[in-house]
Amino acid sequence: MATIVPPAATTPPAASKPTVIEPEKVDYLNLPCPIPYEEIHREALMSLKPELFEGMRFDFTKVLNQKFSLSHSLFMGPTEIPSQSAETIKIPTAHYEFGANFIDPKLMLFGRILTDGRLNARVKADLSENLTLKANAQLTSEPHMSHVMANFDYKGKDYRTQFQLGNGALFGASYIQSVTPNLSLGGEVFWAGQHRKSGIGYAARYNTDKMVATGQVASTGMVALSYVQKVSEKVSLASDFMYNYMSRDVTASVGYDYILRQCRLRGKIDSNGCTAAFLEERLNMGLNFILSAEIDHRKKDYKFGFGLTVGE
């Protein structure tokens, strides 16, 4: 008869210790540099404020060399004129625009002249590694309608400061500081000597890889909030809220930004009943087709535009 061997005693495994994830330490002496104060809402503006137009537009850009290019723009469509009635009054207009561009790593010059005599110019020059000059001018033959603005932008290690000068005794200054890797706080002051008005404002911006939230308030009565959620690399959703506590005007809007392989589609709808969509489709290398549509149900104003952009 075979001998029955008793099973060997097994030792129960030792209980594994739970893994403790230590919070990531923040080096407050090595924070990222924030974006300029005037651009804290840029992600929301990209989705909610596309360049809508009404009529037909054709843009052609001719590259002469690596730094210099010429542009031609033709626009035909109605233009709204001020009216005391509730109905929108439009008159047909058309204009041609000629432009010249010079682009260098440290200097960029842009100039535009229209058939009605208006001249637009922009300059961006890197005066040093941290200091940049931005200037723009709008000149016209009409009295008191020309504007000139200069902006000095200093980029620090974890902060940015700007100083603005403009005609009409306009002075402004802003400062924004990173306080954590994701949060930045800033403020601004301005003085408009021609209108004898001054103001002060504050702003906050919180951003991660998936979202951007901003808030801004000013003594002029403006309160602005925006939020952008990045659903994926190609899809983002945006919303904003605008309130003026002096005039009691309130506007809220939601929108989307969808980037496909050959096109980009943006749209929005706001609390005033205005719906808009903007489509940019790449037909071929250097050839883009544009569609723009806007419907204002309250004012019964309907706008539609299409265009072509040739050249890179």
Side-chain angles (χ1 to χ4, degrees):
M1 184 175 180
T3 304
I4 300 176
V5 179
T10 58
T11 304
S16 59
K17 297 181 179 180
T19 303
V20 179
I21 301 177
E22 296 182 358
E24 184 179 355
K25 295 183 179 180
V26 178
D27 184 4
Y28 289 99
L29 298 179
N30 191 25
L31 295 175
C33 183
I35 66 173
Y37 185 91
E38 59 185 7
E39 299 180 10
I40 60 172
H41 298 286
R42 65 182 182 186
E43 289 84 359
L45 294 177
M46 287 291 292
S47 301
L48 302 174
K49 306 290 185 182
E51 297 181 4
L52 300 172
F53 64 97
E54 183 179 11
M56 188 276 291
R57 195 177 82 185
F58 177 75
D59 301 314
F60 174 72
T61 302
K62 175 64 176 178
V63 178
L64 301 181
N65 53 45
Q66 294 182 350
K67 296 183 179 181
F68 194 70
S69 63
L70 300 177
S71 64
H72 306 269
S73 300
L74 179 65
F75 173 79
M76 292 186 293
T79 300
E80 297 182 6
I81 60 175
S83 174
Q84 296 181 353
S85 62
E87 297 183 359
T88 303
I89 300 177
K90 302 179 182 181
I91 58 175
T93 59
H95 67 255
Y96 165 76
E97 180 181 285
F98 173 76
N101 310 314
F102 178 83
I103 300 178
D104 188 74
K106 293 187 177 182
L107 176 64
M108 290 189 290
L109 304 173
F110 304 93
R112 300 287 186 273
I113 186 169
L114 284 75
T115 50
D116 58 5
R118 287 180 294 167
L119 175 65
N120 299 327
R122 287 188 297 141
V123 178
K124 181 181 179 183
D126 293 336
L127 304 180
S128 67
E129 186 177 353
N130 302 96
L131 182 61
T132 301
L133 168 64
K134 300 177 183 178
N136 62 79
Q138 298 177 356
L139 306 178
T140 179
S141 58
E142 300 180 13
H144 310 293
M145 295 300 293
S146 298
H147 303 281
V148 179
M149 177 74 70
N151 189 332
F152 294 90
D153 184 0
Y154 184 82
K155 180 180 179 182
K157 184 179 180 181
D158 56 1
Y159 69 92
R160 277 182 184 264
T161 182
Q162 291 180 322
F163 184 70
Q164 297 177 344
L165 296 172
N167 64 325
L170 176 62
F171 301 94
S174 64
Y175 179 87
I176 187 168
Q177 170 77 54
S178 294
V179 294
T180 71
N182 303 108
L183 177 64
S184 55
L185 303 175
E188 67 172 344
V189 294
F190 71 89
W191 163 255
Q194 184 176 0
H195 303 285
R196 300 292 180 179
K197 291 184 179 180
S198 62
I200 187 172
Y202 305 95
R205 174 184 168 95
Y206 185 85
N207 65 287
T208 65
D209 295 336
K210 293 293 185 180
M211 54 79 69
V212 178
T214 60
Q216 189 175 7
V217 61
S219 59
T220 56
M222 184 270 295
V223 177
L225 306 174
S226 66
Y227 179 81
V228 177
Q229 178 69 44
K230 300 176 183 178
V231 181
S232 66
E233 293 183 357
K234 297 183 178 181
V235 182
S236 61
L237 303 176
S239 63
D240 71 348
F241 175 83
M242 304 290 292
Y243 172 63
N244 191 313
Y245 58 80
M246 293 185 178
S247 62
R248 304 300 180 182
D249 292 333
V250 182
T251 304
S253 60
V254 294
Y256 60 89
D257 190 348
Y258 193 14
I259 301 177
L260 299 172
R261 189 179 65 176
Q262 291 291 112
C263 72
R264 182 178 184 179
L265 179 62
R266 287 174 283 177
K268 70 158 189 175
I269 182 171
D270 62 24
S271 56
N272 294 324
C274 183
T275 306
F278 191 78
L279 171 68
E280 299 171 276
E281 184 170 359
R282 187 172 188 177
L283 303 178
N284 206 337
M285 181 69 67
L287 180 61
N288 297 329
F289 178 64
I290 303 173
L291 283 178
S292 174
E294 184 178 10
I295 301 176
D296 192 331
H297 295 281
R298 179 177 298 180
K299 298 181 180 180
K300 297 182 179 180
D301 185 19
Y302 312 104
K303 301 177 182 178
F304 176 76
F306 68 96
L308 279 176
T309 302
V310 181
E312 296 294 340

